């Protein structure tokens, strides 16, 4: 069956080899991404392309039923192998686009993205879906600075397609061209798709082991998987981890990471100690110093994130005390302002100014003097009693 008429296709927003990605609207699903084959594909490649897209859709549908965290889920898949299509929820950004546009993000956000990508890969691996090579285009973001990622497994690396490749230095024990060309170690002429089921990978390993018997292959992990297969899985995990490290570096600093480059080393030293420790281990030139499993890298990132949270939580009581003190002084200032701007406050202010007024000089105090006793009228007139009158001539 072809794409239902309920989908209103708007425009093409990208392509992956022979697959075109369209943006469309649906009355229930809202804005979606529709994956369909390119109509201009040469006739000789149509049948193979249809088969590949149809099978990818069925595998994505099976993974969607598992409801794996951070893994892109299908909304609808074609049931007709002659007219295949896959519909997923539309996401605004992908990491490849951000890197190409020189967009940088804060360390906390970058390592949050890494943590979620690693969890998605671990979940896929645990459910039989092996990631051969991580591509920056697979990491989708609905919002740039917040929110969770969606890891898309349909956006595979097609044969001969170089878009979205992240150059990495060779992994220990891996051919030097493996980091650039993603060539399978079992068959150097076969390009491995970005995702592959565990059964398919195991069948290829068994076939390769039968064609090239190795005396050392008798030592196995579970008496079924040859040692060489285990080594290949280890190299694949290390390569993907290194790719994630390069993606993180470009998101942090807006430039490619180069080995033995002084500027790259200086950029990494600018990070906080916990983030710097993780990134240095991811990008280590020494194979012994790198992460060898996704789980170990995920554990270190989570420890770094949780430690930041613990520090933040520990500072909460101190911040509360500061807030209480600041609130108290603010209230006192407010109360004082309200009092002093009222009529009663102005009267109190004037009274306090008078009471608190001081004088620079104080008068010297003297002892009061006792006034002499004043004579009464009789005493004053007694002196005239002895005066005789003057005789008149």
């Amino acid at each position: 069956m072809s794409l239902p008429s309920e989908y209103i296709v708007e425009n093409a927003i990208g392509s992956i080899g022979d697959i075109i990605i369209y943006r469309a609207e649906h009355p229930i699903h809202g804005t979606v991404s529709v994956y369909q084959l390119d109509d201009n594909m040469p006739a000789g490649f149509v049948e193979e392309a249809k088969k590949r897209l149809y099978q990818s859709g069925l595998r994505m549908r099976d993974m969607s039923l598992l409801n794996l965290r951070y893994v892109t889920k299908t909304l609808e898949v074609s049931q007709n192998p002659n007219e295949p299509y896959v519909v997923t929820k539309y996401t605004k950004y992908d990491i490849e686009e951000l890197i190409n546009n020189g967009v940088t993000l804060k360390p906390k956000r970058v390592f949050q993205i890494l943590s979620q990508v690693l969890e998605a890969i671990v979940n896929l691996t645990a459910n039989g879906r092996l990631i051969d090579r991580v591509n920056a285009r697979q990491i989708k973001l609905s919002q740039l600075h917040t929110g969770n990622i969606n890891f898309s497994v349909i956006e595979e690396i097609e044969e001969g397609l170089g878009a979205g490749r992240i150059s990495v230095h060779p992994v220990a024990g891996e051919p030097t061209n493996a980091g650039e060309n993603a060539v399978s170690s079992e068959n150097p002429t076969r390009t491995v798709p970005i995702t592959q089921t565990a059964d398919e990978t195991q069948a290829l390993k068994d076939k390769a082991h039968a064609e090239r018997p190795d005396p050392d292959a008798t030592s196995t992990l579970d008496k079924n998987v040859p040692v060489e297969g285990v080594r290949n899985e280890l190299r694949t995990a290390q390569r993907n981890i290194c790719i994630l490290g390069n993606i993180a570096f470009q998101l942090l600093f807006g430039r490619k990471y180069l080995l033995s480059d002084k500027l790259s080393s200086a950029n990494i030293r600018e990070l906080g100690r916990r983030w710097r420790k993780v990134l240095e281990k991811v990008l280590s030139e020494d194979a012994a110093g790198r992460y060898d499993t996704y789980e170990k890298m995920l554990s270190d990132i989570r420890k770094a994130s949780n430690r930041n949270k613990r520090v933040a939580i520990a500072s909460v009581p101190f911040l509360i005390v500061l807030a209480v003190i600041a609130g108290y002084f603010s209230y006192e200032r407010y109360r004082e302002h309200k009092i002093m701007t009222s009529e009663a406050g102005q009267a109190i202010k004037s009274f306090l100014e008078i009471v608190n007024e001081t004088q620079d000089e104080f008068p010297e105090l003297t002892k009061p003097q006792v006034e002499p006793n004043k004579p009464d009228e009789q005493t004053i007139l007694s002196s005239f009693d002895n005066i005789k009158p003057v005789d008149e001539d």
Side-chain angles (χ1 to χ4, degrees):
M1 57 182 292
S2 59
L3 186 69
S5 59
E6 290 85 0
Y7 291 94
I8 302 175
V9 179
E10 296 179 346
N11 59 297
I13 57 176
S15 63
I16 316 167
D18 49 22
I19 299 176
I20 305 297
I21 309 172
Y22 297 94
R23 175 173 172 165
E25 293 291 335
H26 189 271
I28 297 177
H29 301 316
T31 306
V32 297
S33 296
V34 179
Y35 296 79
Q36 289 184 309
L37 295 180
D38 186 358
D39 295 334
N40 299 321
M41 189 190 318
F45 298 93
V46 173
E47 291 303 319
E48 181 63 27
K50 285 182 179 180
K51 180 180 178 181
R52 185 166 59 252
L53 180 57
Y54 177 72
Q55 291 178 346
S56 295
L58 294 181
R59 286 195 292 266
M60 281 197 66
R61 182 194 62 186
D62 294 339
M63 287 295 160
S64 297
L65 294 175
L66 296 174
N67 195 29
L68 301 180
R69 197 178 185 193
Y70 305 129
V71 177
T72 300
K73 300 171 180 60
T74 57
L75 301 176
E76 191 168 345
V77 177
S78 172
Q79 300 300 312
N80 185 353
N82 294 320
E83 294 181 334
Y85 64 84
V86 177
V87 180
T88 66
K89 191 68 177 178
Y90 172 78
T91 49
K92 187 175 182 180
Y93 307 99
D94 66 57
I95 297 300
E96 180 186 37
E97 176 188 7
L98 299 181
I99 289 175
N100 290 340
N101 292 332
V103 175
T104 59
L105 300 175
K106 293 182 178 180
K108 182 178 179 180
R109 177 58 172 160
V110 171
F111 285 93
Q112 179 191 35
I113 291 172
L114 282 185
S115 174
Q116 294 176 356
V117 172
L118 288 167
E119 185 171 340
I121 294 175
V122 170
N123 290 338
L124 286 166
T125 303
N127 287 275
R129 190 73 169 178
L130 302 181
I131 306 300
D132 187 79
R133 185 185 179 93
V134 175
N135 188 289
R137 183 179 54 241
Q138 292 180 273
I139 307 171
K140 307 290 186 178
L141 303 174
S142 297
Q143 300 180 44
L144 191 60
H145 299 288
T146 59
N148 297 329
I149 65 104
N150 279 302
F151 188 76
S152 174
V153 297
I154 191 174
E155 303 203 7
E156 303 173 352
I157 298 179
E158 300 293 335
E159 187 170 357
L161 183 66
R165 296 291 183 89
I166 301 291
S167 298
V168 297
H169 50 76
V171 177
E174 183 178 39
T176 55
N177 64 340
E180 297 294 332
N181 301 319
V183 176
S184 169
S185 59
E186 285 89 10
N187 186 352
T189 63
R190 184 180 68 86
T191 301
V192 181
I194 192 168
T195 56
Q196 190 174 72
T197 64
D199 293 338
E200 292 170 346
T201 302
Q202 184 60 50
L204 291 171
K205 290 177 180 178
D206 292 342
K207 180 180 178 181
H209 178 61
E211 293 175 351
R212 298 189 302 274
D214 183 355
D216 296 332
T218 55
S219 175
T220 61
L221 182 63
D222 58 0
K223 298 183 180 180
N224 290 317
V225 182
V227 171
E228 184 61 27
V230 176
R231 290 173 180 170
N232 290 337
E233 291 184 7
L234 173 61
R235 288 196 292 265
T236 298
Q238 286 184 322
R239 181 176 64 240
N240 283 336
I241 289 172
C242 194
I243 291 174
L244 291 175
N246 279 266
I247 290 174
F249 185 89
Q250 293 190 54
L251 286 176
L252 288 168
F253 307 109
R255 58 188 296 270
K256 291 183 179 181
Y257 174 76
L258 300 174
L259 281 173
S260 303
D261 178 57
K262 292 183 179 180
L263 182 56
S264 295
S265 300
N267 290 147
I268 294 177
R269 286 195 296 270
E270 294 175 1
L271 296 173
R273 183 174 61 86
R274 288 180 290 276
W275 303 131
R276 183 175 68 248
K277 180 180 177 181
V278 173
L279 193 58
E280 286 177 343
K281 194 169 183 179
V282 171
L283 299 173
S284 174
E285 188 174 2
D286 180 13
R290 302 175 192 158
Y291 292 107
D292 54 2
T293 65
Y294 303 114
E295 289 81 0
K296 289 181 180 179
M297 180 178 174
L298 178 59
S299 176
D300 280 1
I301 292 178
R302 284 176 173 172
K303 286 179 181 178
S305 300
N306 292 337
R307 186 170 181 181
N308 289 336
K309 292 179 182 178
R310 288 196 298 269
V311 171
I313 293 173
S315 64
V316 168
F318 177 71
L319 294 176
I320 292 176
V321 172
L322 287 181
V324 171
I325 294 174
Y328 172 77
F329 282 107
S330 298
Y331 173 74
E332 289 297 319
R333 292 288 299 274
Y334 169 77
R335 190 167 65 88
E336 181 181 351
H337 172 75
K338 292 294 290 184
I339 292 174
M340 297 311 295
T341 53
S342 63
E343 292 183 3
Q346 292 295 326
I348 294 173
K349 180 180 179 182
S350 301
F351 173 75
L352 292 175
E353 288 177 351
I354 294 173
V355 171
N356 294 330
E357 185 179 12
T358 58
Q359 297 180 356
D360 295 336
E361 295 181 0
F362 294 94
E364 184 177 354
L365 299 178
T366 59
K367 185 176 181 180
Q369 296 180 357
V370 179
E371 293 182 1
N373 294 328
K374 294 181 180 180
D376 57 11
E377 182 178 357
Q378 184 177 357
T379 304
I380 295 173
L381 295 177
S382 62
S383 60
F384 294 96
D385 291 340
N386 297 325
I387 299 176
K388 296 179 179 181
V390 178
D391 293 336
E392 294 181 356
D393 294 338

